[in-house]
Amino acid sequence: MKPKVYITRRIQSEGLNVLEPFCDIELWEEDRPIPKTILLEKVKGIRGLISMLSDPIDEEVIANAKALKVVANFGVGYDNIDIACCTREKIRVGNTPGVLTDATADLAFALLLTLARRIEEGAQYVKEGRWLSYSPTLLIGKDLSEKTVGIIGFGRIGQAVAKRAKGFGMRVIYANTSRKPEIEDQIGAQCVFFNELLEDADFISLHCPLTPKTERLIGEKSFERMKKEAILVNTARGKVIDTEALIRALRTKRIAAAGLDVTDPEPLPQDHPLLKLDNCLVIPHIGSATTRTRGRVAEMSAKNILAGINGEALPYPVNMIG
Ligand code: GLV
């Protein structure tokens, strides 16, 4: 009998093809997160689980999954998984680092450019039939070149954003838990203190993981330090920003604008105050959503599963099981 693997959404065939010869696969086919009550039933007897970042894999789920050997998160962030609990239960956890770096950095830059150059407003203006002539004063935006981008979290994705920023002629500063001198030299980025970054940057882009230390890292006090013209971009996790403080900062024009691929809560309800603000652009967590990247994410998740169900070290591990 093949080992049972549950996947909490239909993933790309690149992943399914890896698993099919070796596993008995069941999928959650609906295009919404699997309800917790159903997940609690589905994990009974499975050896491997491919989970989405929207699925909390907590003590309760793990307690129901007595045969579980491996959880492969479909993505790089794994704040949805209780890693300590998995490790205690000798369940391997894997993710998909590296493969989505460029796609996510591209999207951060797309948000930055869209806001700086008022692309959304421009498109709307044309669609509404208001474009009657060339105008020297129409939709004046912000330059990127010679401006400073502040990158919070200087891992793979933060560094990829830095490289893009350099290509646009920007000055790059970053704040991170540790200094990266080699990368600084390579890219021409400068490490600064967190508060200095907030005060100095014209554009701020968030690329830190969500941890107890980074939860609500950007709150009232941070907004007070930012420039009035600052544009904030978040492609990391919604909870890194204190949403109430962000709403106030945008409403009072304490900062110029925000571009969010991730929010807290996620998704945002239709009547959420952020969606009523002209200076806030929200897109639905699509940082890694390109054909090639998602195919690779699916494949890497599947490879983590295959190793885990065989009791082997994962190719892309998050925890270590002795
Ligand atoms: C997406 O947000 C990911 O963590 O891969």
Side-chain angles (χ1 to χ4, degrees):
M1 233 174 60
K2 291 181 190 170
K4 284 190 175 165
V5 171
Y6 194 74
I7 311 181
T8 63
R9 285 305 254 279
R10 173 158 287 277
I11 61 167
Q12 281 71 7
S13 57
E14 285 91 327
L16 297 176
N17 294 343
V18 169
L19 292 174
E20 251 147 18
F22 307 102
C23 312
D24 176 3
I25 302 171
E26 196 189 343
L27 290 173
W28 175 251
E29 288 282 6
E30 291 184 37
D31 204 16
R32 63 177 178 122
I34 183 167
K36 180 84 177 283
T37 47
I38 301 181
L39 181 63
L40 285 172
E41 285 306 308
K42 293 291 182 187
V43 295
K44 288 181 181 163
I46 62 165
R47 286 264 286 281
L49 173 67
I50 297 189
S51 52
M52 304 296 124
L53 50 91
S54 45
D55 306 318
I57 309 301
D58 55 17
E59 284 204 15
E60 204 182 354
V61 173
I62 293 160
N64 265 24
K66 300 274 187 261
L68 190 60
K69 292 277 172 252
V70 54
V71 179
N73 220 34
F74 186 84
V76 69
Y78 47 82
D79 46 274
N80 56 309
I81 302 177
D82 187 335
I83 303 294
C85 179
C86 286
T87 307
R88 261 196 323 273
E89 298 300 324
K90 303 215 175 334
I91 297 169
R92 295 180 201 272
V93 180
N95 66 342
T96 68
V99 69
L100 44 72
T101 300
D102 283 328
T104 309
D106 286 348
L107 194 85
F109 233 83
L111 282 170
L112 198 152
L113 278 167
T114 303
L115 290 167
R117 298 305 303 272
R118 306 175 63 179
I119 305 291
E120 206 195 10
E121 285 168 79
Q124 199 55 35
Y125 186 84
V126 174
K127 278 194 179 146
E128 286 169 5
R130 294 162 64 202
W131 184 26
L132 302 177
S133 70
Y134 169 82
S135 157
T137 53
L138 179 65
L139 289 166
I140 303 294
K142 295 179 195 295
D143 287 294
L144 264 62
S145 64
E146 296 171 31
K147 291 293 175 70
T148 297
V149 63
I151 298 176
I152 297 178
F154 207 55
R156 278 177 292 258
I157 301 173
Q159 289 167 28
V161 169
K163 284 187 197 147
R164 283 154 179 74
K166 275 288 157 183
F168 278 81
M170 303 178 87
R171 174 176 167 249
V172 178
I173 56 177
Y174 74 92
N176 196 49
T177 44
S178 62
R179 254 191 89 172
K180 311 262 176 160
E182 338 72 62
I183 318 281
E184 278 177 38
D185 293 344
Q186 230 180 63
I187 305 180
Q190 187 194 346
C191 183
V192 297
F193 289 114
F194 178 68
N195 284 342
E196 203 178 326
L197 182 147
L198 298 175
E199 285 162 16
D200 215 9
D202 302 292
F203 301 93
I204 297 176
S205 195
L206 304 180
H207 299 288
C208 50
L210 175 65
T211 66
K213 283 210 173 105
T214 61
E215 188 161 348
R216 296 179 183 226
L217 178 69
I218 306 296
E220 196 77 56
K221 289 207 170 72
S222 302
F223 289 116
E224 274 164 24
R225 287 184 185 272
M226 288 181 198
K227 292 184 181 176
K228 250 178 101 70
E229 309 76 38
I231 289 178
L232 174 67
V233 167
N234 190 5
T235 54
R237 284 292 181 267
K239 283 191 164 60
V240 175
I241 299 179
D242 174 343
T243 299
E244 290 307 313
L246 174 64
I247 293 167
R248 282 193 295 277
L250 290 171
R251 237 183 223 151
T252 59
K253 305 273 181 335
R254 176 80 268 307
I255 64 167
L260 311 173
D261 182 43
V262 290
T263 56
D264 176 29
E266 191 172 308
L268 287 180
Q270 195 64 71
D271 61 350
H272 195 277
L274 280 177
L275 301 181
K276 308 233 168 348
L277 294 165
D278 289 341
N279 53 354
C280 188
L281 171 62
V282 184
I283 51 173
H285 204 146
I286 52 171
S288 66
T290 68
T291 308
R292 188 187 66 196
T293 299
R294 285 282 165 87
R296 289 186 179 167
V297 168
E299 191 184 342
M300 286 168 84
S301 310
K303 287 184 171 164
N304 274 336
I305 291 287
L306 282 193
I309 59 178
N310 288 324
E312 292 162 11
L314 307 190
Y316 315 104
V318 166
N319 63 353
M320 289 298 154
I321 305 293

